[in-house]
Amino acid sequence: MKSIAIIYHSRQGHTQFIAQQIQLGAAQVEQLKIDLFTAEQLMSQPELLCHYDGLIWGSPTYLGGVSGTLKQLMDATGPLWKKQAFKGKLAAGFTVSSLPAGDKQSTLISLFTFAMQHGMIWVGNPILPEQHQGVPYTQAANRLGSWSGLMAQVEHASAANAFDFGDIKTAQLFGQNFALSLSAYQGVMIT
Ligand SMILES: Cc1cc2nc3c(=O)[nH]c(=O)nc-3n(C[C@H](O)[C@H](O)[C@H](O)COP(=O)(O)O)c2cc1C
């Protein structure tokens, strides 16, 4: 059975909520094991991730980049980079921030670069913004128009009430797309 790890940092719960929605979406695809990990859980044992076929990385956007805690975990994978232990795994990224733009793209680019350095294969977010088809903006999948990874925007409410339906739907579709991609993926020739 193929497996996905969703790895995230979340201080106030919003990024965690989106990670859970990604898990729900991925679970629509049968025959996959999907586990959630906080960055803190993996900090002293990032090698646990070697057991997974797909790795989805998530962080709140902090000052236009990944949070310090997630970066600490990324840096803790240095010894695994040396062995290229993640090479050929599928990867994707997501971020949550409070402003409509909020420099979320920089966070996704950090996650993308990290995945590329590890030799992973990046999966984006191939969803057409549904507001173009007349769906109300707050209800629309990929309303924020991000294809390189998943973006979600929060107001300051508690995590369960903070997100527009469109962002919840996007997270589930993003998870489902990643899971479908992983199911179809035959792997690359690794030397
Ligand atoms: C130190 C710090 C920096 C932040 N920087 C940004 C930012 O650059 N852009 C933005 O839109 N929101 C920013 N925010 C808001 C967070 O991205 C937002 O509250 C997010 O939901 C927090 O995720 P969490 O609930 O998973 O901890 C920042 C918050 C903190 C605490």
Side-chain angles (χ1 to χ4, degrees):
M1 184 185 273
K2 289 184 179 175
S3 55
I4 298 172
I6 303 171
I7 307 117
Y8 64 91
H9 170 239
S10 184
R11 196 158 64 88
Q12 295 170 296
H14 300 95
T15 311
Q16 178 177 48
F17 180 82
I18 290 297
Q20 290 163 343
Q21 300 309 309
I22 294 170
Q23 184 184 35
L24 277 178
Q28 300 292 313
V29 178
E30 291 178 356
Q31 301 280 337
L32 286 176
K33 175 168 119 89
I34 308 146
D35 291 336
L36 287 171
F37 291 102
T38 63
E40 292 89 335
Q41 284 173 321
L42 292 167
M43 205 65 82
S44 62
Q45 45 178 357
E47 65 281 358
L48 278 186
L49 296 175
C50 295
H51 301 299
Y52 291 83
D53 303 296
L55 306 178
I56 305 179
W57 302 83
S59 174
T61 290
Y62 274 7
L63 297 165
V66 296
S67 67
T69 304
L70 192 79
K71 182 70 170 86
Q72 223 182 318
L73 173 63
M74 289 159 72
D75 291 352
T77 66
L80 299 169
W81 168 83
K82 259 191 176 163
K83 294 188 260 177
Q84 288 284 278
F86 294 166
K87 191 169 180 176
K89 294 184 190 296
L90 295 197
F94 64 101
T95 188
V96 175
S97 92
S98 60
L99 292 165
D103 288 327
K104 286 189 271 295
Q105 186 74 30
S106 305
T107 306
L108 291 179
I109 288 172
S110 295
L111 296 172
F112 165 77
T113 307
F114 166 76
M116 293 298 96
Q117 289 215 3
H118 272 290
M120 299 201 277
I121 312 293
W122 191 253
V123 178
N125 185 40
I127 303 170
L128 283 178
E130 283 185 330
Q131 63 266 37
H132 293 170
Q133 297 144 37
V135 177
Y137 180 64
T138 56
Q139 310 288 306
N142 203 12
R143 69 190 182 99
L144 296 174
S146 175
W147 290 270
S148 45
L150 169 68
M151 292 182 182
Q153 185 200 352
V154 279
E155 300 304 335
H156 293 291
S158 66
N161 301 316
F163 290 96
D164 283 328
F165 175 74
D167 287 1
I168 294 173
K169 184 175 181 186
T170 310
Q172 294 181 1
L173 289 170
F174 172 78
Q176 190 179 17
N177 177 67
F178 188 90
L180 286 169
S181 303
L182 185 64
S183 291
Y185 180 52
Q186 300 289 317
V188 291
M189 187 72 82
I190 297 173
T191 53

